[in-house]
Amino acid sequence: MAWATAFERCPLPQLFEQHREAINVLRQELGDAFEDASLLRYVLSYENHPDQALQAARKALEWRQDHKDLVEAAKQRKPPPGLTMQELCCLQTLLLTSFHGATNFGDPLLIIRVGLSNQTAVLDMMGEEKVELWVNYLNECSFQYCEAATRKMSYFVKHIGLQDLSGMGMMPDRRFFRILGRVSKTNEWLRPQLLGRVVI
């Protein structure tokens, strides 16, 4: 496991030693497309299923090739391609999501204030595709940060999500939760071992 507990992290060298054979199997198929720490993410997420790990890694490579502009924007913390300034203002005004520092271990904290957001308004104005692009971009920002911090710290730094439901009505917009579900499924093969925990 990447984390022994939330307060105890397994050093990367120890994990490399434990999973060297599985990492090498992926390395033989994928060449130098991934660093060892990135391959380890797939090994841990698809433990005892090397074929699934390889399929997921190849799918991720293809996605990153097709979305170079979004990946680069996330690395540089620039606005993602495909959204106008007006749409970005709409998202930042009506969909209250923001990174708020990091834990003592370096894990970034993303807060989604569901109860104080107007998901219906933003979805009606922009549609699910563009809102999903924004949520996916936020996850890519977190992943790029976690990748860099993991190399620096020599243990897995992970994303912490806080969904603040304070003030939420009885009938939240289900479209928004469908988006969160789809992005979560995407993270499984695109950003394995990204999520540390979700707090509601």
Side-chain angles (χ1 to χ4, degrees):
M1 295 179 64
W3 288 6
T5 69
F7 304 102
E8 184 180 358
R9 309 297 167 91
C10 297
L12 283 182
Q14 179 181 328
L15 291 170
F16 289 150
E17 183 177 351
Q18 292 173 358
H19 300 282
R20 176 52 59 189
E21 184 177 348
I23 291 171
N24 287 342
V25 169
L26 291 180
R27 174 71 64 206
Q28 290 174 2
E29 296 291 336
L30 297 167
D32 296 327
F34 292 94
E35 296 180 2
D36 277 0
S38 299
L39 290 177
L40 181 59
R41 291 179 182 276
Y42 286 94
V43 169
L44 294 173
S45 293
Y46 297 89
E47 195 167 7
N48 300 321
H49 297 283
D51 291 343
Q52 292 180 22
L54 180 59
Q55 181 181 5
R58 283 176 170 161
K59 188 176 180 181
L61 278 176
E62 182 178 354
W63 186 93
R64 294 189 179 281
Q65 182 69 26
D66 292 341
H67 297 82
K68 285 182 178 179
D69 291 345
L70 186 145
V71 172
E72 193 59 33
K75 285 181 179 179
Q76 298 184 23
R77 300 299 188 267
K78 292 183 176 180
L83 296 174
T84 66
M85 288 305 298
Q86 183 178 0
E87 288 169 336
L88 287 169
C89 288
C90 176
L91 284 162
Q92 293 168 354
T93 302
L94 297 175
L95 192 60
L96 303 183
T97 58
S98 180
F99 288 101
H100 285 269
T103 68
N104 289 337
F105 288 99
D107 309 307
L109 176 64
L110 177 66
I111 299 178
I112 302 178
R113 304 198 71 182
V114 180
L116 298 180
S117 298
N118 193 335
Q119 302 113 16
T120 299
V122 74
L123 283 161
D124 286 346
M125 284 188 279
M126 296 180 55
E128 289 189 44
E129 184 177 351
K130 288 196 171 183
V131 175
E132 184 169 341
L133 168 63
W134 176 247
V135 176
N136 202 26
Y137 165 75
L138 292 176
N139 278 261
E140 184 64 23
C141 287
S142 187
F143 182 73
Q144 293 297 333
Y145 170 89
C146 289
E147 280 276 80
T150 293
R151 290 191 292 270
K152 180 180 179 181
M153 304 291 193
S154 198
Y155 57 74
F156 274 116
V157 173
K158 297 193 178 190
H159 171 104
I160 306 294
L162 173 61
Q163 295 185 19
D164 182 359
L165 305 183
S166 301
M168 188 173 71
M170 295 298 291
M171 294 294 291
D173 197 310
R174 293 183 180 181
R175 292 176 295 175
F176 183 66
F177 289 94
R178 285 202 302 265
I179 288 170
L180 294 181
R182 288 197 296 269
V183 173
S184 177
K185 286 292 184 183
T186 297
N187 283 343
E188 290 177 7
W189 55 265
L190 182 59
R191 309 175 185 104
Q193 296 294 312
L194 170 64
L195 184 63
R197 61 180 52 203
V198 174
V199 180
I200 299 177

